[in-house]
Amino acid sequence: MTATTFGANFSDGYALGIIGAVLPVLSTTMRLSGVWQGLLGASALIGLFFGSIVLGRVADAIGRQKLYLYNFVLIAVASAAQFWAHTPLVLFLLRLAIGFGLGADYAVGPTLLSEFAPRRLRGVLLGSLTVLWTVGYVLANILGTYIPITGNAAHWLLASGALPAVLVLLLRIGIPESPSWLATRGRAAEAVQIRRKYLGQSEVGAEAAQEAGGEQLPAARYRELFARGQAAKTWFGVIFFSAQVLPYFAIYTFMSLILSTMDISDADTQNLALNLALLLGGIIGLWPVQRMGRRPFTIGTFAILTVCLAAMAVLSDASGWVLMVPFLVYTFVMAGASNITQVYPPELFPTALRGSGVGFLNGTSRVASAVGTFVLPVSLSHLGVGWSMGWMALVLLLGTVVSLAWAPETRDTLTAEDWHH
């Protein structure tokens, strides 16, 4: 379960990273306008929004396992088809389809993993999803930086995303349904059978689980996410997730453009340094996610990120090398902070709402990501680095304030499976 969910996040990171790597070449070969550059950069994120919103609800209605398998059929086919996409419209539609399929995984993957993982491992396993995303993203950026990219090579790189997608698809064959979901649907006997087979549950524990899971719960409706007792957690999740990923996707999709605006002479070396900081920050960031509470970790990282982008805004007239210091710190901390986006959302919702809730948070956050990715290149060309970093620092400041006001502590939250572990 962990391996196949990790593989999906690697595929997602690679798919979103590779478009940024090849966009400079595609801009020439396809004669892309600024609008088309923004649309192609945001295309998979737009698909992620619709996939997360629509398919998260479906996962609570029909189960996790079916979506967990079949969404990667769509991702593999659409990824391979990018090789023949020689018009911006066709490429946009294919990347929309890739994002739609990945949206299902954003809703179902962390949900399914959180329902199998014991509480003592949940933080590190869910946090590691973002690390694998970062590995895929960094690999795509490194390939884009050091492989000579012609028009044909750009399409080979886009289509190469089909390779990890096919591997994930093959590994997912035979993955069991979530016993927690089965229990909420009144299918307690099936839930008990899966717990015995995969979780080594004893006969006594199985009987207790069957008794506890015997009552069928209704399929979640999105209005239940905003019912009394749940609404504050849902709104916090929406704002915290969106505030974090808006500058993240915008900055790293157009990192080469930002570096050129900063007048850095050796942009390739700096690009590599930033990507390595991204990877290192993600790995080291697993430790505080596991050891610290969710609330202090979220507030602390938001505060540091806000200060870093504010420093870049204030120092915008300084040399590129001076600007690289807060940029590297921002990159390192942001990578670690991003780990919480896979840990927090599943812990904010009960089992019956978890697929819908996680899908809703991922979907709304992808609206923010798409907006940031579309607006940043326009902002850089018209306002420059200083003002661009300034408005993104305000987004992070909003995340800091909302986290101080609303962030709950969920580290010791029990999912249904924790009782049986």
Side-chain angles (χ1 to χ4, degrees):
M1 189 68 67
T2 302
T4 57
T5 309
F6 279 8
N9 280 261
F10 174 89
S11 295
D12 179 25
Y14 188 87
L16 292 175
I18 206 66
I19 189 66
V22 302
L23 259 180
V25 172
L26 295 180
S27 298
T28 301
T29 58
M30 291 186 177
R31 299 178 181 177
L32 299 178
S33 65
V35 172
W36 269 117
Q37 289 182 53
L39 284 173
L40 288 176
S43 53
L45 297 170
I46 297 169
L48 274 163
F49 163 72
F50 289 107
S52 296
I53 292 290
V54 173
L55 299 178
R57 171 70 179 83
V58 172
D60 280 335
I62 71 169
R64 326 299 196 204
Q65 189 268 347
K66 292 182 180 67
L67 284 177
Y68 195 66
L69 178 64
Y70 293 120
N71 70 317
F72 258 82
V73 175
L74 174 62
I75 294 167
V77 171
S79 296
Q82 290 178 108
F83 182 76
W84 296 279
H86 293 288
T87 66
L89 178 59
V90 172
L91 184 57
F92 175 80
L93 292 174
L94 287 173
R95 294 193 61 76
L96 207 64
I98 293 168
F100 188 80
L102 288 168
D105 232 272
Y106 269 61
V108 177
T111 296
L112 199 54
L113 185 57
S114 72
E115 290 172 353
F116 271 93
R119 181 177 49 172
R120 63 186 175 82
L121 294 176
R122 192 169 64 228
V124 71
L125 290 181
L126 291 173
S128 297
L129 295 177
T130 303
V131 175
L132 268 293
W133 187 96
T134 305
V135 171
Y137 190 86
V138 168
L139 177 61
N141 272 315
I142 290 174
L143 290 175
T145 300
Y146 292 101
I147 290 179
I149 302 180
T150 61
N152 200 38
H155 287 278
W156 275 111
L157 282 172
L158 286 170
S160 65
L163 297 176
V166 168
L167 179 59
V168 170
L169 176 62
L170 293 174
L171 288 173
R172 286 189 174 185
I173 296 172
I175 287 290
E177 181 56 88
S178 162
S180 298
W181 179 84
L182 289 169
T184 66
R185 305 301 292 161
R187 296 160 63 179
E190 295 173 66
V192 168
Q193 186 178 12
I194 289 173
R195 288 180 179 126
R196 283 176 181 160
K197 181 176 180 180
Y198 294 100
L199 303 178
Q201 187 173 310
S202 67
E203 291 296 323
V204 174
E207 290 170 8
Q210 187 163 7
E211 206 173 300
E215 182 181 353
Q216 181 171 347
L217 297 177
R221 296 179 178 88
Y222 277 123
R223 67 172 176 268
E224 294 172 29
L225 299 177
F226 299 96
R228 180 173 295 181
Q230 182 61 51
K233 291 181 179 179
T234 301
W235 280 119
F236 161 71
V238 168
I239 298 171
F240 123 80
F241 207 155
S242 298
Q244 191 185 100
V245 299
L246 187 153
Y248 185 112
F249 282 100
I251 286 172
Y252 298 113
T253 299
F254 294 101
M255 190 187 294
S256 58
L257 181 59
I258 293 171
L259 290 174
S260 65
T261 307
M262 287 166 57
D263 295 323
I264 292 197
S265 56
D266 192 359
D268 284 351
T269 300
Q270 299 309 313
N271 193 3
L272 178 61
L274 287 165
N275 276 289
L276 291 177
L278 201 62
L279 185 58
L280 190 62
I283 295 170
I284 294 176
L286 286 174
W287 183 84
V289 166
Q290 181 70 0
R291 303 300 298 177
M292 291 176 65
R294 315 298 191 227
R295 176 180 166 85
F297 179 83
T298 302
I299 293 170
T301 52
F302 259 129
I304 295 170
L305 295 172
T306 303
V307 169
C308 288
L309 288 196
M312 291 186 71
V314 171
L315 299 171
S316 59
D317 292 331
S319 69
W321 291 101
V322 172
L323 285 173
M324 280 300 296
V325 174
F327 201 2
L328 280 167
V329 175
Y330 170 85
T331 300
F332 179 83
V333 175
M334 173 55 86
S338 296
N339 293 340
I340 202 74
T341 62
Q342 298 286 1
V343 180
Y344 231 152
E347 295 177 346
L348 292 173
F349 304 98
T351 299
L353 287 173
R354 191 167 292 124
S356 298
V358 173
F360 184 76
L361 297 194
N362 275 288
T364 52
S365 74
R366 266 47 195 176
V367 173
S369 302
V371 168
T373 303
F374 183 77
V375 170
L376 183 60
V378 178
S379 174
L380 286 169
S381 62
H382 288 83
L383 302 176
V385 170
W387 285 104
S388 297
M389 295 300 160
W391 68 257
M392 287 190 289
L394 290 177
V395 171
L396 291 166
L397 180 61
L398 173 65
T400 308
V401 172
V402 168
S403 297
L404 279 166
W406 288 348
E409 183 50 69
T410 61
R411 183 174 61 173
D412 295 325
T413 299
L414 293 174
T415 65
E417 287 315 303
D418 286 314
W419 293 102
H420 309 305
H421 280 289

